[in-house]
Amino acid sequence: LKKASKRLSCHKRYKIQKKIREHHRKLRKEAKKRGRKRPRKDPGIPSAAPFKEELLREAEQRKQRLEELKQKQKLDRRKELEKKRKLDAKKNAAKIKENTEGKVCLESSRKSGAKKNKLLDKNSSKSFCRELEKVIEASDVILEVLDARDPLGCRCPQLEQAVCSRQDKKLLLVLNKIDLVPKENLEKWLNYLKNEFPTVAFKSATLLKDKNMEKVTKRSARIDLSKNTECFGSECLLKLLQEHYKTQNKAIQVGVVGFPNVGKSSIINGLKGARACNVGPARGVTKSMQVVPVDKQMKILDSPSIVADPSNSTLALALRSIIDTEESGLANVFEGIDALISHCNKQQVILFYSIPDFRSTEEFLTLLAQKRGMLKKGGVPDTESIAKLLLCDWTGAKISYHSQPPEQQRLPPYLTEDKIAEMQKAFNLKKLEEENTITVKALKYPNLASSISFQSAGVTNGTIEENKVVEKASEHKNLETDEEDEEEEEDEEENFTESDDDQDNMEEDEQSIKEVIGKAKLEKPQPTNPEAQIAAEGSHSPTLPFIVDKTADEDDAYDFNTDYV
């Protein structure tokens, strides 16, 4: 049932208000008849009274005695409470000891489990390596995705060695983002790489339609978002893989592997023809193995990025590390940009960004921030955010730059001529070359003048095995355990010495007050005039008249204590 409404009619409300007014009027009349009783003030001692000063002293003494009694009572109460606390603490101490001995074993096991879960977090480098190992073991054919702008920098010798050491696995190189490189440069790289492994030229689609991606407008006209985002080289790659599983007469699994922001997930989406994997400009979007079925005989495995080894150069770490720029330290970001600019042609960078000549990276970032309008409060250029954005642009598909292949082709120790022949036998190389030429002709490429010439830092080393990442984690574990042990000891000490601390607080307060009074008495007013101060210092030191050991900032600073006439 609904509650009854509290709303009244206007007649009833006005009637109540009238009665209240009348009641207040009656109360006022009665108060007038009675008369108001005001509390009488203490007249004090009259000035003409004899022994006035003595009486006043006695009154003050009484007040002081009362205050002293109150303070004594407070102290007595505190002492009683402290005694009770001590007794309770002693009683509880034995119980705590018994409980702690039993709980230590349980807590240690729980903490070890929690630490393992923390270390094996999805964002950790250890979990990335674990998932990558799963992909390598499960896949029959491995696609190593390379950025066409810096293919040498995207190659991981540890991964290639791991694949070549197993006879049942084949490796294919996929040269992605070919539309961001001049045509001549692309052909050079294709000729260089095909001598080692079979390479496929690829241009992944920037946007692909999802299952529920077709939007319906008011006019009921369907807008297909997959237009103007064609994928080149997907047919060539699919044909290669289909021929491979037909020759072997069994279903195969294809693992897609590479460094971050190379375009692994976008290649899978291109082969599938729909948005099967999440894609984004941020690094490390894929955090675990994902199985994408293409047809009955073939499944593609998406893997997280290869973890770049910290022993690599600053340029390699800036472009190929998993950690996102938002999370990483600003010092590392600035170092990375400094290395990046030093490996590029300065004049081409100035022309590309259309900024004046710069001397340092800080100046370059300030000029770029001013041009793009990235300013903080007071018009200060936001160099931090522009630095992060710049790194994202260079790893993403925005900037066109190219690197030259090495003049002499030197095979790594894990690649022999027999191994190269084995890898090439598995695939039809003639058809591959024909398909590559078709894809190269179909695309539009930037000119050599518009593309920035980039000097590659060479092959980037990566950590694939989970055991190699454990060294850092173990150090982290030891630090955590030491800190937690110290915290536990401190907590136990606090439990036993809570009462003692309360007792000593009163004594410490009294001592501190005495020290402050003593310091105030000892301190003397210093001379405000600087000349007088120097003279005083000179009188103490017989050898030198005055000594000045001030920094440039202290000399320039204005002293507000001094008054100049």
Side-chain angles (χ1 to χ4, degrees):
L1 293 166
K2 291 183 179 178
K3 288 183 179 180
S5 177
K6 291 182 181 179
R7 293 175 75 185
L8 299 168
S9 62
C10 291
H11 175 72
K12 207 170 186 180
R13 193 167 68 248
Y14 294 144
K15 203 174 181 181
I16 291 158
Q17 286 173 4
K18 195 178 179 183
K19 280 182 180 179
I20 290 160
R21 269 187 249 119
E22 284 172 2
H23 177 68
H24 286 312
R25 210 177 292 140
K26 274 183 184 179
L27 290 172
R28 270 185 243 123
K29 278 181 182 179
E30 284 172 8
K32 273 184 183 180
K33 283 174 186 176
R34 271 183 266 152
R36 290 179 185 177
K37 290 179 181 179
R38 291 177 186 176
R40 288 181 182 179
K41 289 181 181 178
D42 185 20
I45 300 156
S47 57
F51 313 110
K52 185 184 176 180
E53 290 178 1
E54 289 177 6
L55 291 164
L56 287 166
R57 279 174 198 164
E58 283 175 7
E60 281 177 6
Q61 282 171 5
R62 279 174 203 160
K63 280 182 183 178
Q64 284 176 1
R65 281 171 197 165
L66 285 165
E67 284 175 2
E68 283 172 4
L69 279 165
K70 282 178 183 178
Q71 285 176 358
K72 279 179 183 179
Q73 284 172 357
K74 279 183 182 178
L75 289 165
D76 292 332
R77 282 173 200 161
R78 280 181 185 175
K79 283 175 182 177
E80 284 174 7
L81 286 165
E82 282 167 11
K83 282 176 184 177
K84 283 179 183 178
R85 282 176 189 169
K86 280 179 182 178
L87 287 165
D88 292 331
K90 283 174 183 177
K91 284 176 184 178
N92 292 325
K95 288 179 181 179
I96 289 160
K97 280 179 183 178
E98 288 174 4
N99 292 327
T100 48
E101 284 172 4
K103 285 178 181 178
V104 162
C105 298
L106 291 167
E107 283 177 4
S108 61
S109 62
R110 282 174 190 172
K111 281 174 184 176
S112 62
K115 281 171 194 172
K116 280 176 185 177
N117 291 329
K118 281 179 185 176
L119 292 164
L120 297 171
D121 187 29
K122 282 186 177 180
N123 293 323
S124 66
S125 55
K126 196 175 179 181
S127 72
F128 273 67
C129 290
R130 190 159 38 81
E131 292 294 318
L132 207 145
E133 277 182 329
K134 280 183 189 175
V135 172
I136 292 163
E137 283 175 10
S139 53
D140 302 307
V141 179
I142 291 157
L143 306 177
E144 190 181 6
V145 184
L146 311 176
D147 194 335
R149 296 172 291 184
D150 183 20
L152 203 69
C154 295
R155 285 184 75 175
C156 180
Q158 285 79 15
L159 185 133
E160 288 174 10
Q161 193 174 356
V163 175
C164 290
S165 62
R166 298 173 188 182
Q167 291 181 353
D168 60 331
K169 296 186 190 300
K170 307 295 174 191
L171 194 126
L172 266 169
L173 298 178
V174 181
L175 206 64
N176 195 19
K177 301 178 186 180
I178 55 170
D179 59 320
L180 300 171
V181 170
K183 193 178 178 180
E184 295 167 6
N185 187 260
L186 176 65
E187 286 170 352
K188 281 179 185 177
W189 272 113
L190 285 167
N191 292 325
Y192 177 82
L193 293 167
K194 75 179 181 183
N195 294 326
E196 293 181 19
F197 294 104
T199 55
V200 181
F202 203 93
K203 190 261 170 186
S204 57
T206 50
L207 189 86
L208 276 160
K209 61 180 177 181
D210 198 357
K211 290 174 184 177
N212 305 317
M213 213 166 179
E214 287 184 348
K215 292 184 179 179
V216 181
T217 57
K218 289 178 182 178
R219 295 180 185 177
S220 71
R222 288 186 177 182
I223 299 163
D224 190 7
L225 295 172
S226 64
K227 284 180 182 178
N228 301 321
T229 55
E230 290 179 26
C231 181
F232 295 91
S234 58
E235 289 179 9
C236 169
L237 217 159
L238 276 169
K239 281 177 186 176
L240 261 180
L241 295 167
Q242 281 167 359
E243 281 176 7
H244 181 70
Y245 72 67
K246 279 175 186 176
T247 51
Q248 291 196 341
N249 294 320
K250 65 167 188 176
I252 58 160
Q253 287 186 333
V254 181
V256 183
V257 174
F259 282 102
N261 273 59
V262 160
K264 300 181 290 297
S265 301
S266 55
I267 282 166
I268 293 164
N269 291 341
L271 293 167
K272 180 75 177 170
R275 194 178 176 184
C277 303
N278 288 327
V279 179
R283 302 184 191 187
V285 174
T286 309
K287 289 168 187 175
S288 59
M289 187 176 80
Q290 190 180 349
V291 181
V292 180
V294 176
D295 51 36
K296 289 179 182 179
Q297 297 293 319
M298 186 167 61
K299 286 178 184 177
I300 299 172
L301 309 176
D302 191 11
S303 71
S305 306
I306 299 165
V307 180
D309 199 71
S311 62
N312 286 311
S313 61
T314 50
L315 179 69
L317 289 168
L319 295 172
R320 310 280 167 242
S321 59
I322 283 171
I323 302 158
D324 195 4
T325 48
E326 289 177 5
E327 294 175 3
S328 62
L330 289 166
N332 296 333
V333 174
F334 287 128
E335 280 175 15
I337 286 160
D338 192 13
L340 204 146
I341 291 160
S342 63
H343 281 74
C344 292
N345 191 350
K346 194 181 177 182
Q347 289 180 347
Q348 285 180 336
V349 170
I350 289 160
L351 287 165
F352 183 82
Y353 289 107
S354 62
I355 52 166
D357 193 10
F358 56 89
R359 293 177 186 176
S360 61
T361 49
E362 286 179 11
E363 196 180 346
F364 166 70
L365 290 167
T366 50
L367 288 164
L368 218 156
Q370 283 170 353
K371 199 205 166 188
R372 292 196 179 179
M374 292 179 85
L375 305 168
K376 290 181 185 177
K377 265 190 176 182
V380 179
D382 193 359
T383 52
E384 296 168 9
S385 55
I386 200 77
K388 291 171 186 176
L389 201 140
L390 210 146
L391 269 181
C392 286
D393 288 353
W394 277 77
T395 49
K398 280 190 177 182
I399 296 161
S400 169
Y401 63 91
H402 66 278
S403 60
Q404 294 295 332
E407 292 175 0
Q408 291 181 353
Q409 194 160 13
R410 291 177 183 176
L411 293 170
Y414 56 85
L415 256 182
T416 56
E417 289 180 359
D418 297 329
K419 197 76 194 173
I420 292 162
E422 266 183 41
M423 291 285 179
Q424 288 176 351
K425 270 182 188 177
F427 305 101
N428 194 348
L429 295 174
K430 285 181 180 179
K431 279 188 179 180
L432 205 156
E433 281 182 14
E434 286 171 10
E435 291 289 334
N436 278 341
T437 50
I438 291 160
T439 50
V440 168
K441 284 176 183 177
L443 279 164
K444 286 182 180 179
Y445 301 94
N447 296 323
L448 273 165
S450 61
S451 170
I452 299 164
S453 63
F454 176 78
Q455 193 179 354
S456 181
V459 177
T460 47
N461 295 315
T463 50
I464 295 160
E465 293 175 8
E466 193 182 346
N467 300 327
K468 288 182 180 179
V469 188
V470 174
E471 291 175 6
K472 287 185 179 180
S474 63
E475 285 173 16
H476 187 63
K477 267 189 181 180
N478 293 330
L479 286 166
E480 278 186 345
T481 48
D482 293 336
E483 285 173 3
E484 282 173 1
D485 291 334
E486 283 173 7
E487 283 174 4
E488 282 174 3
E489 285 172 7
E490 283 173 5
D491 291 334
E492 284 174 4
E493 283 174 4
E494 281 174 6
N495 288 328
F496 290 115
T497 60
E498 262 185 359
S499 58
D500 297 330
D501 291 336
D502 293 332
Q503 194 173 2
D504 296 332
N505 281 337
M506 297 290 288
E507 292 174 6
E508 285 175 3
D509 292 336
E510 288 172 6
Q511 284 176 1
S512 62
I513 291 157
K514 285 175 183 178
E515 284 171 7
V516 169
I517 293 157
K519 282 177 184 177
K521 285 177 181 178
L522 288 165
E523 281 178 1
K524 290 180 182 180
Q526 291 180 352
T528 53
N529 195 358
E531 291 175 7
Q533 198 172 359
I534 292 157
E537 286 172 10
S539 63
H540 290 295
S541 59
T543 52
L544 294 165
F546 62 92
I547 298 161
V548 180
D549 290 331
K550 289 184 178 180
T551 57
D553 295 331
E554 286 177 356
D555 289 331
D556 295 334
Y558 178 74
D559 189 7
F560 289 95
N561 293 326
T562 57
D563 297 323
Y564 296 99
V565 181

PDB file of all heavy atoms in Angstrom, residues 334 365-366 368-370 373-376 379-388:
ATOM      1  N   PHE A 334      62.962  10.771 -23.997  1.00  0.00           N
ATOM      2  CA  PHE A 334      63.823  11.828 -24.547  1.00  0.00           C
ATOM      3  C   PHE A 334      65.111  11.249 -25.138  1.00  0.00           C
ATOM      4  O   PHE A 334      65.569  11.712 -26.189  1.00  0.00           O
ATOM      5  CB  PHE A 334      64.162  12.869 -23.473  1.00  0.00           C
ATOM      6  CG  PHE A 334      63.004  13.764 -23.111  1.00  0.00           C
ATOM      7  CD1 PHE A 334      62.605  13.937 -21.803  1.00  0.00           C
ATOM      8  CD2 PHE A 334      62.305  14.448 -24.102  1.00  0.00           C
ATOM      9  CE1 PHE A 334      61.528  14.758 -21.468  1.00  0.00           C
ATOM     10  CE2 PHE A 334      61.237  15.276 -23.780  1.00  0.00           C
ATOM     11  CZ  PHE A 334      60.846  15.423 -22.462  1.00  0.00           C
ATOM     12  N   LEU A 365      61.804  19.596 -29.992  1.00  0.00           N
ATOM     13  CA  LEU A 365      60.514  19.285 -29.374  1.00  0.00           C
ATOM     14  C   LEU A 365      59.716  20.547 -29.050  1.00  0.00           C
ATOM     15  O   LEU A 365      58.495  20.572 -29.218  1.00  0.00           O
ATOM     16  CB  LEU A 365      60.717  18.458 -28.102  1.00  0.00           C
ATOM     17  CG  LEU A 365      61.205  17.015 -28.301  1.00  0.00           C
ATOM     18  CD1 LEU A 365      61.652  16.424 -26.985  1.00  0.00           C
ATOM     19  CD2 LEU A 365      60.142  16.153 -28.928  1.00  0.00           C
ATOM     20  N   THR A 366      60.411  21.597 -28.598  1.00  0.00           N
ATOM     21  CA  THR A 366      59.723  22.865 -28.289  1.00  0.00           C
ATOM     22  C   THR A 366      59.154  23.498 -29.554  1.00  0.00           C
ATOM     23  O   THR A 366      58.015  23.991 -29.557  1.00  0.00           O
ATOM     24  CB  THR A 366      60.675  23.864 -27.602  1.00  0.00           C
ATOM     25  OG1 THR A 366      61.891  23.953 -28.358  1.00  0.00           O
ATOM     26  CG2 THR A 366      60.983  23.490 -26.182  1.00  0.00           C
ATOM     27  N   LEU A 368      58.324  21.926 -32.314  1.00  0.00           N
ATOM     28  CA  LEU A 368      57.230  21.076 -32.800  1.00  0.00           C
ATOM     29  C   LEU A 368      55.968  21.274 -31.958  1.00  0.00           C
ATOM     30  O   LEU A 368      54.847  21.311 -32.490  1.00  0.00           O
ATOM     31  CB  LEU A 368      57.659  19.622 -32.751  1.00  0.00           C
ATOM     32  CG  LEU A 368      57.177  18.738 -33.913  1.00  0.00           C
ATOM     33  CD1 LEU A 368      58.111  17.546 -34.065  1.00  0.00           C
ATOM     34  CD2 LEU A 368      55.780  18.233 -33.709  1.00  0.00           C
ATOM     35  N   ALA A 369      56.154  21.411 -30.644  1.00  0.00           N
ATOM     36  CA  ALA A 369      55.015  21.626 -29.739  1.00  0.00           C
ATOM     37  C   ALA A 369      54.347  22.970 -30.023  1.00  0.00           C
ATOM     38  O   ALA A 369      53.114  23.078 -30.012  1.00  0.00           O
ATOM     39  CB  ALA A 369      55.484  21.560 -28.292  1.00  0.00           C
ATOM     40  N   GLN A 370      55.156  24.003 -30.276  1.00  0.00           N
ATOM     41  CA  GLN A 370      54.615  25.332 -30.602  1.00  0.00           C
ATOM     42  C   GLN A 370      53.851  25.311 -31.921  1.00  0.00           C
ATOM     43  O   GLN A 370      52.799  25.930 -32.057  1.00  0.00           O
ATOM     44  CB  GLN A 370      55.750  26.352 -30.676  1.00  0.00           C
ATOM     45  CG  GLN A 370      56.240  26.788 -29.308  1.00  0.00           C
ATOM     46  CD  GLN A 370      57.518  27.603 -29.366  1.00  0.00           C
ATOM     47  OE1 GLN A 370      58.135  27.755 -30.423  1.00  0.00           O
ATOM     48  NE2 GLN A 370      57.935  28.137 -28.229  1.00  0.00           N
ATOM     49  N   GLY A 373      50.574  23.416 -31.460  1.00  0.00           N
ATOM     50  CA  GLY A 373      49.696  24.031 -30.451  1.00  0.00           C
ATOM     51  C   GLY A 373      49.564  23.227 -29.178  1.00  0.00           C
ATOM     52  O   GLY A 373      48.583  23.354 -28.452  1.00  0.00           O
ATOM     53  N   MET A 374      50.562  22.421 -28.889  1.00  0.00           N
ATOM     54  CA  MET A 374      50.554  21.630 -27.654  1.00  0.00           C
ATOM     55  C   MET A 374      51.272  22.426 -26.570  1.00  0.00           C
ATOM     56  O   MET A 374      52.493  22.346 -26.416  1.00  0.00           O
ATOM     57  CB  MET A 374      51.227  20.279 -27.879  1.00  0.00           C
ATOM     58  CG  MET A 374      50.440  19.379 -28.809  1.00  0.00           C
ATOM     59  SD  MET A 374      51.232  17.804 -29.100  1.00  0.00           S
ATOM     60  CE  MET A 374      50.652  16.878 -27.700  1.00  0.00           C
ATOM     61  N   LEU A 375      50.490  23.223 -25.841  1.00  0.00           N
ATOM     62  CA  LEU A 375      51.050  24.138 -24.841  1.00  0.00           C
ATOM     63  C   LEU A 375      50.422  23.892 -23.478  1.00  0.00           C
ATOM     64  O   LEU A 375      49.256  23.517 -23.367  1.00  0.00           O
ATOM     65  CB  LEU A 375      50.815  25.590 -25.258  1.00  0.00           C
ATOM     66  CG  LEU A 375      51.314  26.014 -26.647  1.00  0.00           C
ATOM     67  CD1 LEU A 375      50.755  27.357 -27.017  1.00  0.00           C
ATOM     68  CD2 LEU A 375      52.827  26.041 -26.696  1.00  0.00           C
ATOM     69  N   LYS A 376      51.215  24.158 -22.441  1.00  0.00           N
ATOM     70  CA  LYS A 376      50.720  24.077 -21.066  1.00  0.00           C
ATOM     71  C   LYS A 376      50.205  25.448 -20.633  1.00  0.00           C
ATOM     72  O   LYS A 376      50.068  26.349 -21.450  1.00  0.00           O
ATOM     73  CB  LYS A 376      51.862  23.649 -20.142  1.00  0.00           C
ATOM     74  CG  LYS A 376      52.300  22.212 -20.314  1.00  0.00           C
ATOM     75  CD  LYS A 376      53.420  21.933 -19.309  1.00  0.00           C
ATOM     76  CE  LYS A 376      53.999  20.547 -19.486  1.00  0.00           C
ATOM     77  NZ  LYS A 376      55.125  20.327 -18.570  1.00  0.00           N
ATOM     78  N   GLY A 379      51.422  29.301 -21.841  1.00  0.00           N
ATOM     79  CA  GLY A 379      52.041  29.186 -23.169  1.00  0.00           C
ATOM     80  C   GLY A 379      53.342  28.419 -23.198  1.00  0.00           C
ATOM     81  O   GLY A 379      54.106  28.507 -24.157  1.00  0.00           O
ATOM     82  N   VAL A 380      53.623  27.616 -22.144  1.00  0.00           N
ATOM     83  CA  VAL A 380      54.852  26.811 -22.093  1.00  0.00           C
ATOM     84  C   VAL A 380      54.664  25.581 -22.976  1.00  0.00           C
ATOM     85  O   VAL A 380      53.664  24.869 -22.843  1.00  0.00           O
ATOM     86  CB  VAL A 380      55.172  26.382 -20.642  1.00  0.00           C
ATOM     87  CG1 VAL A 380      56.425  25.515 -20.575  1.00  0.00           C
ATOM     88  CG2 VAL A 380      55.324  27.598 -19.754  1.00  0.00           C
ATOM     89  N   PRO A 381      55.590  25.292 -23.915  1.00  0.00           N
ATOM     90  CA  PRO A 381      55.421  24.119 -24.801  1.00  0.00           C
ATOM     91  C   PRO A 381      55.479  22.805 -24.029  1.00  0.00           C
ATOM     92  O   PRO A 381      56.370  22.594 -23.202  1.00  0.00           O
ATOM     93  CB  PRO A 381      56.584  24.237 -25.791  1.00  0.00           C
ATOM     94  CG  PRO A 381      57.556  25.168 -25.173  1.00  0.00           C
ATOM     95  CD  PRO A 381      56.799  26.061 -24.257  1.00  0.00           C
ATOM     96  N   ASP A 382      54.525  21.927 -24.306  1.00  0.00           N
ATOM     97  CA  ASP A 382      54.418  20.629 -23.633  1.00  0.00           C
ATOM     98  C   ASP A 382      55.309  19.614 -24.352  1.00  0.00           C
ATOM     99  O   ASP A 382      54.862  18.864 -25.224  1.00  0.00           O
ATOM    100  CB  ASP A 382      52.957  20.181 -23.633  1.00  0.00           C
ATOM    101  CG  ASP A 382      52.705  19.017 -22.696  1.00  0.00           C
ATOM    102  OD1 ASP A 382      53.678  18.566 -22.068  1.00  0.00           O
ATOM    103  OD2 ASP A 382      51.550  18.569 -22.608  1.00  0.00           O
ATOM    104  N   THR A 383      56.580  19.590 -23.972  1.00  0.00           N
ATOM    105  CA  THR A 383      57.572  18.706 -24.625  1.00  0.00           C
ATOM    106  C   THR A 383      57.351  17.241 -24.290  1.00  0.00           C
ATOM    107  O   THR A 383      57.672  16.367 -25.088  1.00  0.00           O
ATOM    108  CB  THR A 383      59.002  19.111 -24.214  1.00  0.00           C
ATOM    109  OG1 THR A 383      59.071  19.174 -22.789  1.00  0.00           O
ATOM    110  CG2 THR A 383      59.404  20.450 -24.802  1.00  0.00           C
ATOM    111  N   GLU A 384      56.803  16.976 -23.105  1.00  0.00           N
ATOM    112  CA  GLU A 384      56.599  15.583 -22.672  1.00  0.00           C
ATOM    113  C   GLU A 384      55.588  14.868 -23.570  1.00  0.00           C
ATOM    114  O   GLU A 384      55.853  13.793 -24.101  1.00  0.00           O
ATOM    115  CB  GLU A 384      56.120  15.551 -21.222  1.00  0.00           C
ATOM    116  CG  GLU A 384      57.144  16.103 -20.242  1.00  0.00           C
ATOM    117  CD  GLU A 384      56.562  16.352 -18.855  1.00  0.00           C
ATOM    118  OE1 GLU A 384      55.412  15.939 -18.618  1.00  0.00           O
ATOM    119  OE2 GLU A 384      57.256  16.954 -18.029  1.00  0.00           O
ATOM    120  N   SER A 385      54.419  15.494 -23.749  1.00  0.00           N
ATOM    121  CA  SER A 385      53.353  14.862 -24.547  1.00  0.00           C
ATOM    122  C   SER A 385      53.728  14.797 -26.026  1.00  0.00           C
ATOM    123  O   SER A 385      53.390  13.831 -26.711  1.00  0.00           O
ATOM    124  CB  SER A 385      52.032  15.617 -24.362  1.00  0.00           C
ATOM    125  OG  SER A 385      52.187  16.976 -24.667  1.00  0.00           O
ATOM    126  N   ILE A 386      54.450  15.806 -26.536  1.00  0.00           N
ATOM    127  CA  ILE A 386      54.865  15.792 -27.952  1.00  0.00           C
ATOM    128  C   ILE A 386      55.902  14.700 -28.188  1.00  0.00           C
ATOM    129  O   ILE A 386      55.923  14.078 -29.264  1.00  0.00           O
ATOM    130  CB  ILE A 386      55.385  17.179 -28.421  1.00  0.00           C
ATOM    131  CG1 ILE A 386      55.349  17.288 -29.957  1.00  0.00           C
ATOM    132  CG2 ILE A 386      56.765  17.516 -27.923  1.00  0.00           C
ATOM    133  CD1 ILE A 386      54.012  17.538 -30.535  1.00  0.00           C
ATOM    134  N   ALA A 387      56.740  14.444 -27.188  1.00  0.00           N
ATOM    135  CA  ALA A 387      57.750  13.376 -27.305  1.00  0.00           C
ATOM    136  C   ALA A 387      57.080  12.009 -27.392  1.00  0.00           C
ATOM    137  O   ALA A 387      57.448  11.168 -28.223  1.00  0.00           O
ATOM    138  CB  ALA A 387      58.687  13.426 -26.102  1.00  0.00           C
ATOM    139  N   LYS A 388      56.066  11.785 -26.535  1.00  0.00           N
ATOM    140  CA  LYS A 388      55.314  10.524 -26.571  1.00  0.00           C
ATOM    141  C   LYS A 388      54.590  10.352 -27.906  1.00  0.00           C
ATOM    142  O   LYS A 388      54.585   9.265 -28.488  1.00  0.00           O
ATOM    143  CB  LYS A 388      54.308  10.493 -25.428  1.00  0.00           C
ATOM    144  CG  LYS A 388      54.946  10.377 -24.057  1.00  0.00           C
ATOM    145  CD  LYS A 388      53.916  10.573 -22.979  1.00  0.00           C
ATOM    146  CE  LYS A 388      54.535  10.606 -21.596  1.00  0.00           C
ATOM    147  NZ  LYS A 388      53.549  10.897 -20.547  1.00  0.00           N
TER     148      LYS A 388
END
